[in-house]
Amino acid sequence: MSRSPGRKQENHKISRELFVLTYGALVAQLCKDYEKDEDVNACLDRMGYSIGIRLIDDFLARSAMKKCRSYSETADVIAQVAFKMYLGITPSVSCSNATGNEFSLILDKNPLVDFVEELPAERASLCYCNLLCGVIRGALEMVHLAAEVSFLQDRLKGDAVTEIGITFLRKPEDRKHRRN
């Protein structure tokens, strides 16, 4: 039996839509389970972190990426390869500071919110897509890059864009091991 050339892409799109719908149900259930938005945000971050520490192996195997030589190269790979591979989007990257360890990923389209119109007023501090921050943080940690990852702006909260901030916590020379 032969497969039509568009079949793989069609399955990928169905999988993405199923993930988005399932993700919405997950967030709704967490909102029922936890009274405080901060608890929901923390739970989504922990879940994302667990996904990220496992997803990095799949990413490295499927992308055949070599070791990045700088934080800017790492941010570009996250945006241009990882987001494209797993979410089908390519955020733009901007460096946020002169030291070159803070970057922003600007998402023109966020597939996780395709079926979300707006957050309820009583959930104003909910970070609906906080799972993404945990995934990025977990994946980076597995390649020995400690980072803080958080949403800086969110269209669901009325901001003009959706922006994820990544701050690498160590300078590249800090990662070298010293022998005693």
Side-chain angles (χ1 to χ4, degrees), residues 73-177:
E73 186 178 347
T74 302
D76 286 339
V77 167
I78 291 169
Q80 296 172 5
V81 182
F83 268 82
K84 182 72 172 173
M85 185 182 295
Y86 294 107
L87 293 175
I89 61 171
T90 306
S92 58
V93 179
S94 66
C95 185
S96 304
N97 67 354
T99 59
N101 71 324
E102 292 182 16
F103 296 87
S104 289
L105 304 177
I106 311 294
L107 286 72
D108 293 326
K109 184 174 179 350
N110 183 351
L112 290 183
V113 299
D114 280 351
F115 303 108
V116 180
E117 292 180 20
E118 62 182 32
L119 295 176
E122 65 274 7
R123 292 291 185 175
S125 60
L126 176 67
C127 190
Y128 183 83
C129 298
N130 212 36
L131 184 97
L132 292 176
C133 295
V135 169
I136 295 168
R137 188 172 54 84
L140 287 172
E141 187 172 301
M142 293 308 293
V143 292
H144 306 289
L145 292 171
E148 288 180 1
V149 185
S150 62
F151 273 88
L152 304 176
Q153 296 185 68
D154 193 346
R155 283 193 176 159
L156 285 179
K157 294 182 179 183
D159 295 322
V161 296
T162 299
E163 179 180 3
I164 299 174
I166 301 173
T167 303
F168 293 98
L169 300 177
R170 292 188 289 257
K171 295 178 184 173
E173 54 273 2
D174 290 345
R175 294 188 329 216
K176 294 180 183 175
H177 298 287

